[in-house]
Amino acid sequence: MGLLTFKGGIHPDDGKRFSKDQPIRPLLPEGDMIYPLSQHIGAPANPIVKKGDHVLKGQKIAEAGGFVSAPVYSSVSGKVKGIEQHFNPAGSKVECIVIENDGEYIEVDYEPVKPLKEMSPEEILEKIGDAGIVGMGGAGFPTRVKLSPKEPEKIDYIIANCAECEPYITADYRRMLENTSELVSGMRVVLSLFPNARGIFAVEDNKKDCISKLQEAVADDPRMDVKALVTKYPQGAERQLIYAVTKRAINSSMLPADAGCIVDNVETLISIHNAVINGRPLTERVVTVSGDAVQNPGNFRVLLGTNHLNLIKAAGGFTEQPEKLISGGPMMGFAMVTPDAPVTKTSSAILAFKKDVVSRNQETACINCGRCVEVCPSRIIPSRLADYARRQDVDSFVAMNGLECVECGSCSYVCPAKRQLKQAIGSMRKTALANKRKK
């Protein structure tokens, strides 16, 4: 069978050569640890510690603030310095718990875990929810909620998003190579919740070594398959991934579960393994440090709450002062106003570039070339939607299917007029969705 894919998409320089061959290195933090109370979609977590409290590594320091929320755990032992406002990677000042790291990393006594076969679905979901696991590919949706559809018997596919289509990021690639068994174990845990589902590891074909390792790991499991995808951006976007693997289409008014699918990121599945099989809460993740302004790009296993400045130092610092810092990937990540911000559950990468190419672009008039339409994975008309957005014509924007945009940025990437199509459309989508909620 041929490689799986979707219509549209682009082929930017993937930049993965900088860090793909660098094994994961553990990184111990320096200085205070900062834990934002909102590292997920939904209600912020509520702090359950106060200034002066001594905490241990793996101790819960904030509990879920509602059904769509997730608790937060300390990744070090030390003393709580306070609950203060600090910058998060997106550049917003948010409420954070600040812990003075004592450097001893004394852990709590974790509860013993039962074998997976002896656990009920309710117990498994409780373990996942209590561990604070969220979508770690960047979405940050609480995983317990995602794994609790109304009709679990109608879920046909659990798709492991192993595409890692964003340029420069190689954290998932290294995870697939170095933590294959934990990744497969996480999939096995999720499959235990859905008796009628198959597990699919969907991997872009530029990662042939990962495909081989995963195929070997699942060879004896009749419920798991490995599928090769065309290497193309945004192959890892949820809607595009589901269509590529199953040929089932979903739109903005649907959830993946409506198409019988659940999609989880590599890092998320490994965290599920750690929670359910090892009884450990979410306190760390792998982060890529890369870009042409980084001295020694690499992949680091980082304790949550670690300052991004520690990561830059571990990567040898900058070759020169970068003009652009990005949290996440260059296509769907966001510019950082300062690297003095903590690593959170959704921090997949920090990228540093010598030149801010985008800010130097001079926008000109649309020439109606149609390139944005050709590459759009949602099959909409970005140039026209951007015009509606700039005129604040919400009704026309919605009528022309503006809500179907996945904000991948493919249109902006190919536009010869250098129009900021994604930014205009994304801003209008927020307005339109807000109006929809009011109604």
Side-chain angles (χ1 to χ4, degrees):
M1 189 175 72
L3 298 175
L4 305 175
T5 192
F6 61 95
K7 292 182 180 179
I10 57 175
H11 297 85
D13 174 19
D14 69 8
K16 296 182 187 290
R17 61 190 177 278
F18 287 103
S19 58
K20 69 183 290 289
D21 296 325
Q22 299 300 316
I24 298 168
R25 293 163 48 195
L27 174 64
L28 290 180
E30 299 175 3
D32 294 340
M33 307 294 286
I34 300 175
Y35 303 91
L37 294 174
S38 184
Q39 303 183 39
H40 50 265
I41 290 173
N46 296 320
I48 55 175
V49 293
K50 62 184 184 303
K51 184 177 181 179
D53 287 351
H54 187 270
V55 300
L56 302 178
K57 181 179 180 181
Q59 179 178 331
K60 187 186 291 186
I61 56 177
E63 61 187 6
F67 179 66
V68 183
S69 186
V72 178
Y73 289 81
S74 177
S75 56
V76 299
S77 55
K79 187 171 72 173
V80 178
K81 294 182 70 174
I83 300 174
E84 310 164 354
Q85 286 208 336
H86 287 270
F87 281 114
N88 65 10
S92 300
K93 278 206 165 183
V94 295
E95 287 291 306
C96 302
I97 298 172
V98 182
I99 295 178
E100 183 179 3
N101 180 12
D102 63 16
E104 296 183 11
Y105 303 100
I106 301 170
E107 291 194 67
V108 300
D109 293 324
Y110 298 108
E111 294 181 4
V113 294
K114 293 195 297 187
L116 179 61
K117 291 182 179 179
E118 297 178 15
M119 297 179 71
S120 67
E122 292 74 22
E123 288 175 310
I124 293 170
L125 287 170
E126 185 176 1
K127 283 280 187 186
I128 292 169
D130 286 349
I133 300 170
V134 303
M136 297 172 73
F141 192 79
T143 302
R144 178 180 183 170
V145 181
K146 179 184 280 191
L147 298 180
S148 304
K150 292 180 181 178
E151 299 176 296
E153 69 280 358
K154 292 186 177 180
I155 299 299
D156 301 317
Y157 297 101
I158 308 299
I159 303 173
N161 186 349
C162 304
E164 198 166 48
C165 63
E166 270 273 14
Y168 291 89
I169 306 178
T170 55
D172 284 355
Y173 171 75
R174 296 309 311 182
R175 279 294 210 183
M176 284 186 275
L177 287 181
E178 300 181 41
N179 302 111
T180 316
S181 60
E182 292 93 333
L183 173 58
V184 173
S185 173
M187 173 65 83
R188 192 169 289 119
V189 170
V190 177
L191 285 174
S192 70
L193 299 170
F194 303 100
N196 300 324
R198 294 190 61 78
I200 307 292
F201 295 90
V203 193
E204 283 190 325
D205 71 330
N206 63 347
K207 305 174 183 68
K208 290 182 171 57
D209 43 1
C210 295
I211 292 173
S212 296
K213 285 208 73 171
L214 285 166
Q215 285 175 333
E216 182 180 347
V218 306
D220 297 326
D221 195 318
R223 295 186 65 192
M224 296 189 198
D225 295 308
V226 181
K227 300 291 187 182
L229 309 171
V230 170
T231 300
K232 179 172 63 171
Y233 177 86
Q235 191 70 262
E238 194 169 60
R239 293 187 213 170
Q240 282 63 52
L241 187 67
I242 289 171
Y243 181 80
V245 172
T246 70
K247 299 308 176 194
R248 298 179 182 182
I250 63 173
N251 58 41
S252 62
S253 64
M254 299 170 64
L255 295 172
D258 296 328
C261 299
I262 287 175
V263 180
D264 277 316
N265 168 262
V266 168
E267 192 76 33
T268 304
L269 286 169
I270 291 173
S271 297
I272 289 172
H273 160 82
N274 288 331
V276 178
I277 305 302
N278 296 332
R280 298 295 193 269
L282 177 56
T283 59
E284 64 179 33
R285 67 159 301 140
V286 174
V287 180
T288 297
V289 185
S290 190
D292 62 4
V294 175
Q295 185 74 47
N296 301 306
N299 303 285
F300 299 88
R301 190 169 70 248
V302 187
L303 299 179
L304 300 182
T306 299
N307 196 303
H308 278 86
L309 292 170
N310 288 185
L311 276 164
I312 294 166
K313 181 179 178 182
F318 297 132
T319 57
E320 62 182 70
Q321 190 60 33
E323 288 187 2
K324 190 82 166 185
L325 285 176
I326 297 175
S327 177
M331 298 300 296
M332 295 188 75
F334 36 81
M336 297 181 73
V337 296
T338 174
D340 186 13
V343 171
T344 68
K345 297 176 184 181
T346 57
S347 300
S348 58
I350 177 170
L351 309 178
F353 297 102
K354 296 177 182 178
K355 303 298 181 185
D356 185 355
V357 178
V358 174
S359 68
R360 299 181 182 198
N361 288 338
Q362 294 295 315
E363 185 171 334
T364 57
C366 174
I367 60 172
N368 294 312
C369 64
R371 294 182 192 177
C372 60
V373 180
E374 184 180 340
V375 302
C376 178
S378 298
R379 319 313 293 158
I380 51 182
I381 307 175
S383 57
R384 189 169 298 173
L385 290 170
D387 290 338
Y388 292 141
R390 289 173 180 176
R391 293 200 298 267
Q392 292 295 301
D393 187 348
V394 179
D395 292 339
S396 296
F397 180 87
V398 173
M400 286 293 293
N401 297 313
L403 294 179
E404 299 306 317
C405 172
V406 296
E407 299 186 41
C408 66
S410 296
C411 53
S412 296
Y413 182 83
V414 300
C415 179
K418 307 301 181 185
R419 298 180 72 199
Q420 295 188 1
L421 301 170
K422 176 206 167 184
Q423 291 84 345
I425 295 169
S427 179
M428 180 55 79
R429 280 189 79 244
K430 290 180 176 64
T431 300
L433 289 169
N435 292 346
K436 190 176 180 181
R437 284 191 291 268
K438 288 178 183 178
K439 292 178 181 178

